[in-house]
Amino acid sequence: LAKTTQPISMDSYEGQEVNITCSHNNIATNDYITWYQQFPSQGPRFIIQGYKTKVTNEVASLFIPADRKSSTLSLPRVSLSDTAVYYCLVARPYSSASKIIFGSGTRLSIRP
Amino acid sequence: DGGITQSPKYLFRKEGQNVTLSCEQNLNHDAMYWYRQDPGQGLRLIYYSQIVNDFQKGDIAEGYSVSREKKESFPLTVTSAQKNPTAFYLCASSWDRSYNEQFFGPGTRLTVL
């Protein structure tokens, strides 16, 4: 079971690029890395998923180094609406749902 | 519109009463999940179901029960045996066990008076 470690909180300003790093030292060969975003009193929303190198979509980029022991979620030019909690998860396809762990996440606060 | 609905959004119950939280999805997903979230905490898995008429306990199943009689529905009952039921409850679904992406409902906030 790959344990993840993220910063508890981060602050930034509108228009900046924000990078949130997640550490997962014991990631297994078949594990994928997934990031979710959660606003207060709402369910989490899938942001991005990757296995290695770099993945980009219309919302974010995910950078995964060759050793895959960490990953970085990059949010370009954040706005106030990006204030949320961000969760990093590590799990393999077809694993038991009980292996999918949402930790406490990173609370990102964006200031004007 | 496809998605997951949970009802009600807010629920109050007296101590000692059982209460059932509804979760319905029209995404044709095989797998469904129930999570509990306490203030400032992450999500903890209560129960999950990978297929109709089958479900498995998660990390904190004590005091909860579920059923999966239809693909679209996965109701959660919070029983009087649950010692501290006040929390935010989230239902989710995914295509299957391959775990590509979980889709979450809006949640039900349960308060025990």
Side-chain angles (χ1 to χ4, degrees):
Chain A
L1 187 62
K3 177 179 163 53
T4 60
T5 303
Q6 305 175 232
I8 294 174
S9 64
M10 293 180 66
D11 295 325
S12 189
Y13 293 91
E14 280 192 294
Q16 299 294 306
E17 178 184 79
V18 170
N19 296 312
I20 306 174
T21 296
C22 179
S23 193
H24 28 79
N25 289 319
N26 59 340
I27 188 169
T29 302
N30 296 330
D31 284 344
Y32 279 72
I33 301 152
T34 308
W35 285 81
Y36 284 82
Q37 175 192 56
Q38 185 181 26
F39 297 115
S41 298
Q42 294 186 26
R45 182 176 70 101
F46 173 92
I47 300 175
I48 199 166
Q49 184 182 71
Y51 182 78
K52 62 180 179 180
T53 61
K54 178 183 173 182
V55 179
T56 297
N57 61 23
E58 64 277 5
V59 176
S61 295
L62 179 59
F63 298 92
I64 305 168
D67 66 6
R68 304 201 327 122
K69 292 185 182 300
S70 66
S71 58
T72 299
L73 175 72
S74 181
L75 305 173
R77 291 184 295 281
V78 294
S79 64
L80 295 176
S81 63
D82 291 314
T83 294
V85 177
Y86 293 81
Y87 297 97
C88 165
L89 285 71
V90 173
R92 69 200 62 178
Y94 296 101
S95 61
S96 166
S98 64
K99 300 290 192 292
I100 302 168
I101 308 295
F102 284 81
S104 297
T106 297
R107 191 169 299 273
L108 176 65
S109 297
I110 305 300
R111 302 177 182 178
Chain B
D1 270 347
I4 300 181
T5 56
Q6 292 185 243
S7 60
K9 189 170 178 64
Y10 298 96
L11 188 56
F12 298 89
R13 131 188 161 187
K14 291 183 179 179
E15 202 168 336
Q17 290 180 336
N18 291 355
V19 62
T20 297
L21 281 58
S22 167
C23 178
E24 303 278 333
Q25 55 99 358
N26 60 4
L27 299 168
N28 201 33
H29 286 172
D30 283 330
M32 297 186 75
Y33 315 80
W34 273 106
Y35 292 91
R36 168 184 172 138
Q37 187 173 37
D38 293 292
Q41 304 297 311
L43 283 66
R44 290 186 290 168
L45 183 66
I46 304 173
Y47 267 99
Y48 63 100
S49 168
Q50 294 165 344
I51 199 167
V52 174
N53 293 322
D54 181 67
F55 48 83
Q56 308 293 328
K57 291 182 179 180
D59 302 324
I60 55 166
E62 185 176 349
Y64 299 97
S65 66
V66 293
S67 63
R68 186 85 187 278
E69 297 176 1
K70 297 187 300 182
K71 188 175 186 177
E72 304 78 27
S73 178
F74 191 40
L76 173 75
T77 297
V78 184
T79 75
S80 56
Q82 168 51 233
K83 298 285 184 256
N84 186 20
T86 294
F88 187 47
Y89 290 88
L90 287 158
C91 179
S93 69
S94 63
W95 282 108
D96 55 26
R97 285 179 57 205
S98 66
Y99 177 61
N100 282 322
E101 177 181 349
Q102 289 189 24
F103 293 79
F104 283 82
T108 292
R109 190 168 298 280
L110 173 65
T111 302
V112 174
L113 304 172

